[in-house]
Each structure stands twice: as structure tokens, then as C-alpha cells.
Amino acid sequence: MYLTGLSVSELGNALKKREITSTEITEAYLKRIVEKDDELGAYLTVCAESALRAAKEADPSLSEIAGIPTAIKDNICTKGIATTCASRMLSNYIPPYNATIIDKLISVGGFVLGKLNMDEFGMGSSTEFSAVRFTRNPHCPTRVPGGSSGGAAAAVAAYEAPYALASDTGGSIRQPSAFCGVVGMKPTYGSISRYGLIAFASSLDQIGPITRTVADNRLIFNIIRGKDAKDATVIRCRNEVPTKKFGNLRIAMISELNDTASTDVKNAIVQTASVFEKCGAKIEVLSMKEIHSALSAYYIISSAEASSNLARYDGVRYGYRTKEYHDILEMMVRSRSEGFGDEVKRRIMLGTFVLSTGYYDAYYKRAKIAQSSLITAFEHIFDRFDLILAPTAPTTAFCFGEMRTNPVAMYRQDICTVPASLAGLPALSLPIGKDHDGLPIGAQLIGAPFSERQIYDTAEVLESEICYHGL
Amino acid sequence: MKIDLKHIAELAMLQFDEKELAMLETDFEAMLSLAEQLPISDNNEGLIKALPLSELRKDQISVGMSRESILKQAQSVIKGYIAVPKIMQD
């Protein structure tokens, strides 16, 4: 436990001082995975051989993370390593290229330990929609780890990975981070390249780190962010502006989000607010009526984009191809119907419907207008406030099967995370306490575009004041 | 509102049996009831915000992935081409 218990920053320092070697770290994590992952189910692929080879060649002088392995959500392309999106459709897909963020990590001495479980194609909030296996919550094995990055949050929380890289479309980094008691960042839309991230909803998808500490999260974010000629949505990062001291902050809370929370979550948020007040920060509770349409706008827009993005899976060039067919049309339809799971098909159907003739105006256009109103409402809030404090999820981790058969109940889990996604805002979830069952509670700090530095500075102070204890 | 799910499935290139269709119908009702909270559209397309434009890269030819690495992903390859069932009639 000694090595796996260290943070990324601590590992980096020990490596630089030559107190430990990259091989020792990698072996310690591989041992932990062998001991724990049969029960936890966080990994889909473990790259023991290639990781040990990379560890042997690691040069700790390259960067603060050189020689430290990382685990990657299975929708981020890794050259020569299966990248399946936890879907039958891509079960044999071995990408011939790396995502830009993987190349960035490798260029500073990082390497891949393995690939992590997720809801199929990122669609879900519990990782129950993985076509491969369930992932259990490290804090309670009968409960879900959240989703869609359930494998990533569980692996980091259970000390099976020093840190993980995942993706967030409507809360897929933040909600599992809250459920597993770790730190997860969804950065500003346009701050990190998504080249090589298998697309779900392109106008919302964003990559971010999951870590055990805020300092580690900032460290990884600063390495993977920045321009990329292969992703035109990445814009010049402007988060070099000076940040405000904790005691001078103006914090908004949104009553519509607080109202969704269970008693335990609400109490933890109130306690977190009192930490701000104790230090001199100003807290104000606001009403934001646009929140009421955020969930439906999110599910319409994301499903519409998913129906278009997932049209590429037709069994022709790559991916699953059905065994029995007479003509090309039958081959495509059967490949898609057999290759995709129920939740993915449900969203493709919803997306196809809202974009179809006669319904576009009634659904898709209205959703886009609601999204614009939400963005404007956030802009007005950030004219007067520095950050928003909100629950990450209405509840703590729920039990397996509790929501699986009721898609809308599952969708409602995302109410606190989709607003920042729709507005492209940076939002970090950090653990702020535990409920009466001992399950972690997460809070979000949401900022104006490119205010990651302010979010990290604030979260570091909160982290030290709250003293959350993990597993 | 009655939605023709068979038609939507055709557009989405998916097929469902009757039991699956019945379940989808229930799910659709629930999902679309969520959408009732959306504000009514009044032809205000101008309100839809676009993403900021980033600096575009120069339009230059560069080396891409090798043909071999791409063909490796295909289920069926004949003489260096991805093979599919016959499309043209005799």
C-alpha cells in the first residue's frame, strides 16, 4: 500500500530524488490490480508488459509525471491497445493512432497502465451499461461507482491507478468522482484536445483528469491542456488571469440545484458554504429558472449528436460485423442492432427522432434555444460572482439495478452536472464528506470559461479545510 | 402523440422486435415528457449561440495513417480493398 498510497506529486518527488523507481511504482499498481480488480471490475485491459517496459526506460527528469503510469477510460484511443468504449461494436478495435493527450503524456514520460470500464459509448450514469462487466463502488460493493467514467473513478479511489484520464459529456467525470470520493475536473469546452476521443456528443464532450488530490488534478490538467492542430475546437487558453484569494471570493449557490439534493447532500453543501463564510467569502443563494429545462435540453442535444456520430458504425470499415446477411443494407442494420446495447440504441432512436422532419422545431431547436438562455443566465451570474458552489449529484451512490430499468430516473441523476456541460463551463467535483451510510458526497465548483486556475486554487483551500478521508 | 417508431428505426438503421418496440414506446413517452419543460420556440433561431471559432490550421498535405494499419481494422479485405457484399445488381 505504501507506493500506491502516494499522490502523483509525491511519487514524482520520490522519483526525482531516486528514492523509488518507476518499475517499483508500476509493479506495486499491477500487484494491487491483481489483488483487487476481480472484485472491483475497474479495468477492461491491463497493459502489464508494455507498462513495465516503459517503466524500465523512464527518465524522471523529463517532467513531474515522468515514470508514473496512468489508466485511461476506454473511449480514448491508445495505439496498439484495444479501445472498446465498453461496447460489443468495438470489441476488436485496436486503434492505429494515439489520442493527442496520450501523445502529450508519453512525450513527458507518462505511460499507460490499462484501459478502464465505462457505460457503453459514455451513455449512462452508473457503468451498468457497459457491455463487458459491472464496476463496483470501492466504498460499498453493492452500489454503483457512477458513470459513465465509473471504472476511472473506482480505479483511482481504490488505489488501482495513481490517476486516470476520462471524458465528460454531461457529468461523466464529475458524478462518478463524487460517488467514489475522488477529484474530477471537466475543463472548459475548448481547453483540451479531443482528437482520438471516440465521439458521443461533439459539442459537449470534454476530456479531464480524475485524481485523489486537487494538486494532482491541476498538475495533470496543465500537462494535457492546450492547442492541437487536430482539434479545431481547442482555443487559446486564457486562464493565466490572477486569481482571487479564498476570503475575497463571491460564491453563488443555485436554489434549483440545491433543491434536488437529498438531506445528507444538502447538509454537506451547507457545511461547505460555511467554510467559505468562515474565511470571509460572500455567499448568496440565487434562483436560476433556466435550470428547469437543462436536463431535457441536454438529452435532446446529446442524443441528436450521438445519433449522427454513431452513424459511422455500419460494420464496413471497422468494428463489429454481423455474421449473417444477404445484402449490404441487411449487413449494416444487423451489425448496428447486434453491436449496440439497449441504452445506446435508445439514445440513437431519440436523437434520430428529434432531428427528423416535423419534429426538429418542436424538440431540437427548442433545446438549442434553452441552451442559449442557460448560457446567458450563467454569464449574468459570473458578472457578479467568481464561482458557483453546487452538489455534484442529488444523491450518493445508488444500488445496482435501482435505476437501470427506468431511463428517465437515471437521466435525472445528471441534473446538477448538465448545466455546466451545456454552457461549456469548467466544473470540478471534490469530496466534501460522507452520508449516514459512509458513502462519499461531492460538491462542484463551477467557474466562468477558462477559470480553471481559480477553481483549483479554491478547491485546494477547501480540501485542506474539509480534510476528507478516502477509503 | 403517436410516434412511428418503426419509421424512426428505419432512419436510424436499427431493427427491433415487437417486444423491444413496446418498451421503446414507453421510454419515449417518459423521455419526451421531460421535453415539455422546454421553452416554446418563437422562430428565434438568432438566439442560438455558436461556438467561438478557433484559429484554423493551414491547409497543407501531411503524412496520415498507413493504408496497412487502416485495413487491419476491416473485417474483410480483398486485394488491398475493404470488401462488402455486392451492391450493384447483375
Side-chain angles (χ1 to χ4, degrees):
Chain A
M1 183 68 182
Y2 155 62
L3 281 180
T4 52
L6 297 179
S7 70
V8 177
S9 323
E10 288 166 337
L11 286 173
N13 285 334
L15 276 168
K16 277 218 169 79
K17 290 182 194 158
R18 299 189 182 276
E19 292 167 355
I20 52 170
T21 66
S22 174
T23 302
E24 285 168 338
I25 299 171
T26 309
E27 281 174 346
Y29 273 106
L30 289 171
K31 185 167 171 262
R32 178 87 180 161
I33 294 167
V34 168
E35 285 167 1
K36 291 274 164 195
D37 207 55
D38 268 353
E39 197 208 337
L40 193 71
Y43 280 84
L44 294 179
T45 306
V46 179
C47 313
E49 218 172 283
S50 61
L52 285 169
R53 211 168 36 239
K56 212 172 161 187
E57 291 160 10
D59 173 6
S61 66
L62 266 182
S63 76
E64 287 160 286
I65 62 152
I68 303 171
T70 177
I72 310 288
K73 186 176 179 179
D74 213 23
N75 61 350
I76 297 173
C77 286
T78 40
K79 190 175 179 178
I81 303 170
T83 299
T84 69
C85 279
S87 176
R88 188 179 186 196
M89 182 58 87
L90 290 176
S91 56
N92 294 319
Y93 178 57
I94 298 176
Y97 68 105
N98 272 332
T100 294
I101 56 151
I102 301 295
D103 278 337
K104 278 194 176 185
L105 279 182
I106 292 171
S107 72
V108 296
F111 56 91
V112 177
L113 187 60
K115 302 297 291 288
L116 298 162
N117 200 13
M118 55 185 283
D119 284 298
E120 185 178 0
F121 282 97
M123 298 175 192
S125 309
S126 66
T127 314
E128 290 169 289
F129 293 125
S130 162
V132 187
R133 67 193 300 191
F134 280 179
T135 298
R136 298 184 184 280
N137 190 308
H139 294 264
C140 175
T142 56
R143 291 177 187 264
V144 302
S148 66
S149 314
V156 173
Y159 302 95
E160 286 189 18
Y163 70 100
L165 294 177
S167 68
D168 187 310
T169 304
S172 285
I173 286 176
R174 291 161 285 159
Q175 184 254 23
S177 294
F179 278 16
C180 295
V182 290
V183 182
M185 174 63 125
K186 184 209 84 81
T188 310
Y189 185 82
S191 57
I192 293 176
S193 165
R194 289 99 36 84
Y195 177 74
L197 168 68
I198 295 176
F200 160 14
S202 308
S203 78
L204 305 165
D205 295 341
Q206 193 54 227
I207 288 174
I210 296 180
T211 56
R212 288 192 288 268
T213 69
V214 176
D216 282 358
N217 209 289
R218 186 203 300 258
L219 176 67
I220 307 302
F221 168 72
N222 282 329
I223 288 169
I224 61 174
R225 71 175 185 163
K227 272 184 66 177
D228 177 18
K230 292 171 180 163
D231 180 353
T233 62
V234 184
I235 42 185
R236 195 166 52 85
C237 287
R238 290 166 296 180
N239 48 356
E240 301 306 332
V241 289
T243 60
K244 275 194 179 174
K245 288 209 171 111
F246 196 80
N248 297 336
L249 288 169
R250 298 162 303 170
I251 306 288
M253 290 167 78
I254 297 171
S255 57
E256 283 80 0
L257 294 182
N258 290 351
D259 291 347
T260 64
S262 67
T263 311
D264 283 355
V265 174
K266 219 178 267 181
N267 288 342
I269 292 289
V270 169
Q271 270 183 359
T272 308
S274 71
V275 173
F276 278 108
E277 280 178 320
K278 191 185 81 188
C279 298
K282 293 209 163 37
I283 296 259
E284 199 176 312
V285 181
L286 311 171
S287 170
M288 190 178 176
K289 62 177 181 5
E290 291 79 4
I291 293 287
H292 293 300
S293 48
L295 201 62
S296 38
Y298 170 78
Y299 274 94
I300 288 170
I301 293 166
S302 64
S303 300
E305 292 184 25
S307 74
S308 168
N309 272 327
L310 272 62
R312 74 189 69 179
Y313 302 106
D314 54 10
V316 173
R317 290 156 300 156
Y318 62 103
Y320 175 81
R321 185 186 283 191
T322 184
K323 299 288 169 278
E324 285 175 40
Y325 51 86
H326 297 97
D327 56 34
I328 190 152
L329 193 66
E330 191 184 8
M331 185 193 89
M332 290 178 179
V333 172
R334 289 188 69 140
S335 296
R336 288 168 62 76
S337 304
E338 293 166 16
F340 291 133
D342 289 345
E343 180 60 21
V344 173
K345 285 193 266 195
R346 194 154 39 223
R347 300 216 198 176
I348 292 175
M349 286 290 285
L350 180 65
T352 307
F353 168 71
V354 298
L355 291 177
S356 64
T357 311
Y359 299 104
Y360 175 90
D361 280 353
Y363 293 102
Y364 184 74
K365 191 175 154 193
R366 274 168 73 198
K368 288 299 283 181
I369 290 168
Q371 181 186 27
S372 294
S373 309
L374 187 81
I375 294 171
T376 308
F378 272 121
E379 283 168 356
H380 289 153
I381 290 179
F382 289 119
D383 283 344
R384 292 174 50 221
F385 295 90
D386 304 301
L387 291 172
I388 294 169
L389 170 68
T392 305
T395 64
T396 51
F398 47 87
C399 291
F400 285 99
E402 206 176 317
M403 307 214 185
R404 196 161 189 249
T405 52
N406 185 344
V408 171
M410 186 82 93
Y411 297 171
R412 285 191 196 282
Q413 270 294 316
D414 301 339
I415 180 65
C416 299
T417 47
V418 295
S421 300
L422 283 169
L425 303 174
L428 177 122
S429 176
L430 81 162
I432 54 163
K434 289 186 174 174
D435 72 358
H436 62 276
D437 290 322
L439 297 166
I441 298 171
Q444 276 183 111
L445 291 174
I446 306 170
F450 298 103
S451 66
E452 279 85 353
R453 197 169 147 191
Q454 179 72 73
I455 292 178
Y456 282 130
D457 286 353
T458 310
E460 269 187 11
V461 178
L462 270 186
E463 187 183 47
S464 64
E465 291 284 332
I466 289 167
C467 295
Y468 168 86
H469 298 289
L471 273 185
Chain B
M1 178 178 57
K2 182 82 183 155
I3 298 163
D4 185 354
L5 285 174
K6 278 187 181 161
H7 172 62
I8 303 296
E10 237 172 76
L11 294 175
M13 303 270 277
L14 290 169
Q15 65 184 16
F16 299 95
D17 60 29
E18 291 303 322
K19 199 176 145 202
E20 288 171 323
L21 276 175
M23 275 172 69
L24 260 178
E25 201 167 318
T26 316
D27 292 343
F28 254 66
E29 271 172 31
M31 292 188 292
L32 295 178
S33 70
L34 264 185
E36 281 163 20
Q37 291 158 336
L38 287 173
I40 301 296
S41 155
D42 191 19
N43 199 27
N44 34 8
E45 202 133 13
L47 281 176
I48 298 174
K49 294 197 173 174
L51 291 166
L53 186 68
S54 89
E55 297 160 47
L56 299 177
R57 65 171 185 252
K58 281 187 188 151
D59 188 12
Q60 283 173 332
I61 295 171
S62 60
V63 181
M65 275 175 262
S66 74
R67 185 187 180 95
E68 192 194 340
S69 69
I70 291 165
L71 289 177
K72 248 190 208 168
Q73 307 297 327
Q75 294 284 335
S76 174
V77 175
I78 299 172
K79 293 181 182 169
Y81 291 92
I82 294 167
V84 292
K86 203 169 179 179
I87 295 167
M88 306 292 282
Q89 296 296 322
D90 288 327

